[in-house]
Amino acid sequence: MLKMTHVLAAVGLAAVMSHSAMAEPMKLGFLVKQPEEPWFQTEWKFADKAGKERGFEVIKIAVPDGEKTLNAIDSLAASGAKGFVICTPDPKLGSAIIAKAKSYDLKVIAVDDQFVTAKGKPMDSVPLVMMAATKIGERQGQELYKEMQKRGWDVKETGVMAITADELDTARRRTSGSMDALRAAGFPAAQIYKVPTKSNDIPGAFDAGNSLLVQHPAVKHWLILGMNDNTVLGGVRATEGQGFKAPDVIGIGINGVDAVSELSKGHATGFYGSLLPSPDVHGYKSIQMLYNWVSQGAEPPKFTEVTDVVLITRDNFTTELAKKGLK
Ligand code: GLA
């Protein structure tokens, strides 16, 4: 009798287990370096959308530094996740991330920022979803030049504040593209001033911008370029602090979604506009590729470039964001 109960209990337990294993959706991680940026919040939102459509769960984790990144991989593995998409806080963590992921048999796709080896070489073996950095940078330079001409500024009195972050390859390609395009349009190379930012946020860029402004007191009008909205916003805030008015400053950012509160202000500022790529596509596509890889063994391409971009300004940002389902 006792034996029978045991057998029944065992059968019952097995049934429950296999039922729960069947019912439990697949878990996939989405790790981002700067969750405070709407860019990354948008990626998360669209990764969730893909999960709802396909029936998998997205575990979203903020990874602002190396330690948090490695801990996040441990906790993903412990929760039974099968892989993750990541925008790493430091491209040089690439080898450590891959080693840890392999030890748990987790699949990895990089988004936005490419991994590099300890020697700084790009890790092409890891699938990457990324914006067309050079092209979008070139567009930034072209739009800055166009708007400068529209305002009828005297080029002799104009300077370019180029806030750089060259250790991040996507950033270096965007700002180089932008400066190349300005030179190609005819802007004098000697009036393009580069300054590196210590951190990729508004305060970092603000300090960089201030240090550059004090070195060039004769400049009357400024064009501001940088790798994303926050970098350019920091530069714009620096010009404001030094007494420049909105009509004498043209800043054009990249990311778009991070510029919404600035563009929503009731008055014009030196921040003229932003190039809006596709954070929705980055988020949706990267996790969908990961899901197909885990569930069907479909290996993703090593490189997926997202090229689509539109200039948003105070005049059109509401419509353009709505078109992409971002507002
Ligand atoms: C980098 C930047 C982000 C965003 C993404 C887009 O990660 O830090 O602000 O521009 O690239 O790919």
Side-chain angles (χ1 to χ4, degrees):
M1 191 60 202
L2 197 85
K3 231 178 171 177
M4 197 57 185
T5 327
H6 266 142
V7 171
L8 283 176
V11 169
L13 186 65
V16 168
M17 278 177 65
S18 72
H19 180 74
S20 73
M22 269 167 55
E24 182 119 333
M26 184 195 292
K27 289 179 182 163
L28 300 173
F30 204 117
L31 281 46
V32 304
K33 63 175 183 180
Q34 286 178 286
E36 72 283 0
E37 280 188 4
W39 174 271
F40 294 108
Q41 293 161 19
T42 310
E43 285 186 342
W44 271 351
K45 187 171 153 204
F46 283 83
D48 267 337
K49 183 168 181 258
K52 285 214 183 74
E53 285 172 17
R54 300 297 198 85
F56 58 85
E57 186 189 329
V58 182
I59 303 177
K60 300 179 280 295
I61 310 177
V63 292
D65 59 41
E67 198 185 326
K68 294 220 168 62
T69 304
L70 299 178
N71 288 343
I73 302 174
D74 288 330
S75 77
L76 279 176
S79 70
K82 300 287 182 222
F84 57 91
V85 170
I86 181 168
C87 178
T88 175
D90 177 358
K92 286 211 174 82
L93 286 170
S95 310
I97 293 170
I98 292 300
K100 201 172 243 307
K102 273 209 176 123
S103 76
Y104 290 124
D105 201 19
L106 297 177
K107 295 193 161 40
V108 184
I109 293 183
V111 70
D112 299 312
D113 299 356
Q114 186 172 31
F115 294 163
V116 297
T117 62
K119 287 191 179 131
K121 281 185 75 189
M123 288 174 63
D124 300 327
S125 54
V126 182
L128 170 70
V129 177
M130 186 191 198
M131 70 162 71
T134 307
K135 273 208 199 89
I136 294 177
E138 284 167 356
R139 179 78 187 278
Q140 185 184 53
Q142 288 154 5
E143 294 292 348
L144 283 168
Y145 194 83
K146 227 200 271 173
E147 183 60 21
M148 175 190 76
Q149 285 191 310
K150 220 164 124 196
R151 294 192 193 181
W153 291 357
D154 182 349
V155 178
K156 286 201 289 301
E157 299 178 333
T158 305
V160 171
M161 175 192 290
I163 303 178
T164 60
D166 285 350
E167 58 296 337
L168 186 63
D169 191 61
T170 183
R172 188 187 51 74
R173 286 170 49 199
R174 293 176 211 176
T175 51
S176 308
S178 187
M179 290 184 279
D180 285 347
L182 279 162
R183 283 186 287 261
F187 195 90
Q191 285 157 238
I192 300 179
Y193 309 114
K194 280 175 73 170
V195 61
T197 177
K198 286 210 182 72
S199 55
N200 290 320
D201 51 20
I202 296 178
F206 177 74
D207 290 347
N210 269 327
S211 71
L212 190 136
L213 287 172
V214 295
Q215 292 170 44
H216 302 285
V219 174
K220 294 220 170 74
H221 321 277
W222 284 102
L223 299 175
I224 305 178
L225 66 88
M227 74 114 151
N228 63 10
D229 289 331
N230 281 345
T231 336
V232 173
L233 281 167
V236 170
R237 297 288 95 91
T239 57
E240 288 165 353
Q242 309 257 344
F244 287 89
K245 300 279 175 259
D248 291 313
V249 178
I250 305 168
I252 298 182
I254 295 175
N255 277 5
V257 284
D258 300 1
V260 173
S261 52
E262 179 76 7
L263 295 177
S264 304
K265 288 179 178 169
H267 56 93
T269 70
F271 190 92
Y272 172 68
S274 175
L275 294 160
L276 168 67
S278 301
D280 50 329
V281 176
H282 285 224
Y284 191 97
K285 225 184 183 159
S286 56
I287 200 101
Q288 185 190 36
M289 281 178 358
L290 182 65
Y291 176 73
N292 291 342
W293 195 6
V294 173
S295 62
Q296 299 152 28
E299 265 213 40
K302 293 293 183 233
F303 185 45
T304 304
E305 192 175 46
V306 185
T307 51
D308 182 30
V309 68
V310 56
L311 175 70
I312 58 171
T313 63
R314 277 182 178 73
D315 297 336
N316 69 351
F317 76 98
T318 327
T319 332
E320 291 300 333
L321 288 165
K323 273 192 207 161
K324 288 183 168 232
L326 297 176
K327 248 218 144 187

